[in-house]
Amino acid sequence: MSQQVEQSPAIQAGTTPSLWRSRNFLLLWGGQTVSELGTRITNVAVPLLAADTLHASVFQISLLTVLAWLPYLLFSLPAGIVADRLDKRRLMIVCDLGRAALLLSVPVAALVGHLTLPFLYTVVGLGGVLTVLFTVAYKTLLPRLVPADLLVDGNAKLTISQDAAELVGPTVSGALIGLVGAARTFLANGFAFLVSALTLILIRQPPVRREPAPRVPLRVELTDGLGFIRRQPILVSILACTTWSNFWVMASASIEVTFLVRELHAAPVQVGLVFSVSAVGGLVVGVLAARLSAWLGSARVIWVAMTAPGPFYLLMPLARPGWGLLLYGVGLAAFSANAVLFNVAAMSYRQRIAPPAILGRVNAAFLWICFGVIPLGALTGGALGTALGLRGALWVCVLGTWAACLFVVCSPLRRMRDTPPPVSS
């Protein structure tokens, strides 16, 4: 379906307004900041509710993680079609309202005595489907709200919100759970999605003229995004790099808490501190992402971001008990910085190079592959930990993570300074 977006007068005149003066972007950013905080609170509240209130086993709790990630594998490609066919802002509003209703149902069910593990599974699973739809639409909406040359800045600001939420979310969640209990904490989570929906309602998009498109088989639509990626060598390299990195990052994530507790004898407070330190790296780089991209070049920054922080990853398996625990935090901070800079640059490139009519399907194809390997990575980490021991497994994981840079270093990006002009149709 071909679409033409009416540009704002500022863009038509060739000027580049600041995002701080963009009402639409500030509304999106504010809503997503609150939403990200609510998501981080949920990530802590869900397993604690299952463990403490519903007395779930370790395997039953692990199923919650599976149900949260499985929708990316099952629904990403169809979500791309939906996002390209429907108004993205309205789709996001419906998803936010749906997630709010699901989360608010948890304290209600607890109040009337009907909160069970199957009920929680249903909430997490349906919430995961709505999150997939929201994420695909969200990654496709931004190019319609900001000028192309401010995409890096916009993606960086949105990523800063994610890292800030990662920094304070677990602490806020712990405090709320201590004050009102795990079930009532979901009231705050539901409220966060309502705030996000409200900010989206207040956004005023430029009008979009939609032209009728010829009917094509569903199978063709499902694979449109994958087909476009296959024809773009740089996108193939970025996708391979991201997927390989996600696999090994999840492998290490599946054993890192066990490593910190059993090998480094870290107390729970120290474990939380390590993860808080790691978020700082992402926050700092997020603030500087636009400047770094302009200095290095919007294409060059992609492979530099994946390559330069690699030596710091090696500090993680070198960590020892006591003050040596900080080495693990520094290694995680380096990865957080890499992830923010790479993801901002790679996402901005994808938003610039993909035709607007199929951008939703291109984003969905990325999510389908990149997030589809996450469960496999987690299983691999557990298997390596059993076979090689926790420290040996961690060495394999960090080297595997750093090796992801080869996909973009050995690509056309290495011979480019900046990305090509944006696609307009």
Side-chain angles (χ1 to χ4, degrees):
M1 183 179 295
S2 117
Q3 301 175 0
Q4 292 180 341
V5 183
E6 300 235 357
Q7 294 180 318
S8 67
I11 300 174
Q12 291 174 347
T15 61
T16 304
S18 166
L19 289 182
W20 291 106
R21 297 181 180 179
S22 171
R23 176 181 179 274
N24 284 342
F25 177 77
L26 292 177
L27 283 168
L28 178 68
W29 189 19
Q32 288 312 295
T33 299
V34 176
S35 175
E36 288 290 345
L37 180 59
T39 299
R40 296 314 187 277
I41 293 173
T42 303
N43 290 345
V44 176
V46 166
L48 283 178
L49 179 64
D52 296 342
T53 304
L54 302 179
H55 309 292
S57 67
V58 173
F59 177 74
Q60 289 172 325
I61 295 172
S62 69
L63 285 179
L64 290 166
T65 303
V66 174
L67 287 171
W69 286 103
L70 190 60
Y72 283 99
L73 190 60
L74 299 179
F75 299 107
S76 287
L77 293 181
I81 297 176
V82 173
D84 282 334
R85 287 182 175 178
L86 302 181
D87 183 281
K88 294 159 186 58
R89 184 178 63 91
R90 292 177 181 175
L91 177 60
M92 292 165 66
I93 292 170
V94 170
C95 291
D96 269 340
L97 293 176
R99 291 189 292 183
L102 286 169
L103 292 175
L104 292 173
S105 71
V106 173
V108 173
L111 183 65
V112 298
H114 290 296
L115 181 58
T116 63
L117 200 55
F119 182 86
L120 191 59
Y121 285 153
T122 302
V123 169
V124 171
L126 292 177
V129 175
L130 292 175
T131 297
V132 170
L133 282 167
F134 183 93
T135 302
V136 173
Y138 167 53
K139 291 179 180 294
T140 310
L141 177 67
L142 185 64
R144 301 186 183 279
L145 299 183
V146 304
D149 45 2
L150 289 180
L151 276 176
V152 171
D153 192 24
N155 282 313
K157 285 179 167 58
L158 291 166
T159 304
I160 288 172
S161 295
Q162 296 173 5
D163 279 281
E166 191 70 41
L167 184 64
V168 304
T171 303
V172 173
S173 182
L176 284 174
I177 292 170
L179 287 172
V180 301
R184 291 190 182 92
T185 299
F186 283 79
L187 291 171
N189 307 344
F191 176 75
F193 287 120
L194 289 176
V195 171
S196 176
L198 177 60
T199 59
L200 289 167
I201 290 171
L202 295 174
I203 287 176
R204 296 292 177 261
Q205 276 185 273
V208 178
R209 294 196 300 269
R210 299 175 183 271
E211 299 176 0
R215 289 185 174 274
V216 295
L218 180 61
R219 180 184 60 81
V220 174
E221 279 199 280
L222 282 173
T223 56
D224 266 353
L226 292 170
F228 177 80
I229 293 170
R230 279 200 305 269
R231 297 189 295 272
Q232 302 288 330
I234 292 177
L235 280 184
V236 171
S237 299
I238 291 174
L239 177 58
C241 174
T242 308
T243 304
W244 182 273
S245 177
N246 281 357
F247 180 90
W248 289 110
V249 166
M250 289 308 299
S252 61
S254 69
I255 61 173
E256 64 186 0
V257 172
T258 309
F259 175 77
L260 292 171
V261 173
R262 295 185 180 177
E263 293 286 332
L264 305 187
H265 311 297
V269 173
Q270 292 174 313
V271 173
L273 181 61
V274 165
F275 291 121
S276 293
V277 168
S278 72
V280 172
L283 279 172
V284 172
V285 171
V287 172
L288 300 174
R291 294 180 183 178
L292 289 172
S293 180
W295 177 53
L296 291 170
S298 56
R300 187 183 298 156
V301 72
I302 295 176
W303 64 264
V304 170
M306 288 300 298
T307 307
F312 292 98
Y313 304 164
L314 307 182
L315 297 177
M316 296 161 69
L318 290 174
R320 292 293 184 270
W323 286 103
L325 188 65
L326 289 175
L327 294 178
Y328 199 94
V330 172
L332 274 183
F335 174 75
S336 178
N338 149 40
V340 168
L341 190 56
F342 173 80
N343 288 335
V344 166
M347 168 58 69
S348 300
Y349 175 77
R350 190 160 80 238
Q351 290 167 336
R352 290 167 64 91
I353 200 67
I358 64 167
L359 179 56
R361 278 163 280 177
V362 173
N363 286 329
F366 261 78
L367 291 177
W368 182 55
I369 296 174
C370 295
F371 287 2
V373 302
I374 283 177
L376 297 177
L379 290 173
T380 299
L384 287 172
T386 302
L388 304 177
L390 292 170
R391 196 178 295 274
L394 199 57
W395 273 112
V396 174
C397 292
V398 298
L399 289 172
T401 301
W402 192 12
C405 72
L406 295 175
F407 290 102
V408 282
V409 170
C410 301
S411 77
L413 284 168
R414 191 165 52 86
R415 298 185 295 274
M416 300 166 58
R417 186 188 188 279
D418 291 298
T419 53
V423 173
S424 57
S425 63

